[in-house]
Amino acid sequence: MRTIGIRAGSSFVTFAVFDANENRIVNVETINIPVALDTPDSLRYIRNTVLDLLREYSIERACIRETEPTAQSSNIQRIQIEAVIQESFASSSLTAYFVGQISSISSRIGIHRADFKPYVSGEKNLDEVEDWASFDKEEREAILAALGARNA
């Protein structure tokens, strides 16, 4: 079974593909949204790209790392991208998916909620993932989301 974890930003989407059968990361990448696109076209671009990824990697389960409701400031572009990704999941052949905040992703992975941010920042090493320190913050969040998607 392959899973995908997605972490959106205001102008990019980082994804991680995890193969649960082989217990390994297949790919981690960031998709930059072309700056020449206006909002509707950038959202269509993200939707089509996500659907292509789901087909290309034969993804069965997915998780999007959602903005925390208690965030100090709302990033409207990120929220719009997250919504389009959710719609892409709903329009796909995924067997299961969820929208995860720190607490829900942590519980599905089996780590303490308080450990989530230290894993993301690199203060703690996630032994399950080879070369954890080589990934940046957004990539680590996408990987944690992909790991959580196993239990979607």
Side-chain angles (χ1 to χ4, degrees):
M1 170 183 61
R2 285 195 172 170
T3 66
I4 191 168
I6 296 181
R7 179 8 177 121
S10 58
S11 62
F12 66 90
V13 172
T14 301
F15 70 91
V17 176
F18 180 76
D19 188 320
N21 298 331
E22 297 179 16
N23 201 34
R24 69 179 182 90
I25 300 294
V26 174
N27 190 18
V28 178
E29 260 183 81
T30 296
I31 301 160
N32 292 308
I33 302 168
V35 294
L37 298 178
D38 60 7
T39 300
D41 287 334
S42 66
L43 295 175
R44 181 177 54 208
Y45 175 81
I46 291 300
R47 182 183 189 280
N48 290 339
T49 303
V50 168
L51 289 171
D52 288 345
L53 289 170
L54 298 178
R55 283 189 293 270
E56 178 182 344
Y57 289 103
S58 303
I59 303 296
E60 293 181 40
R61 295 182 183 181
C63 170
I64 180 170
R65 164 67 170 101
E66 181 181 40
T67 303
E68 295 293 318
T70 57
Q72 293 178 357
S73 64
S74 295
N75 183 326
I76 300 301
Q77 292 89 355
R78 178 178 173 186
I79 293 169
Q80 288 176 329
I81 291 169
E82 290 173 354
V84 167
I85 294 169
Q86 288 180 58
E87 190 282 329
S88 301
F89 288 173
S91 297
S92 73
S93 61
L94 290 172
T95 58
Y97 68 91
F98 76 101
V99 178
Q101 297 169 356
I102 290 172
S103 59
S104 62
I105 294 172
S106 297
S107 69
R108 290 171 198 250
I109 297 172
I111 63 172
H112 293 284
R113 183 192 189 292
D115 290 334
F116 188 90
K117 287 186 179 182
Y119 280 122
V120 169
S121 69
E123 295 171 41
K124 293 188 85 164
N125 187 43
L126 190 64
D127 295 331
E128 187 174 357
V129 177
E130 190 175 325
D131 296 327
W132 182 252
S134 68
F135 297 105
D136 68 26
K137 177 185 174 221
E138 286 80 14
E139 291 170 335
R140 289 183 189 127
E141 283 188 308
I143 292 168
L144 290 169
L147 295 173
R150 293 177 295 188
N151 301 312

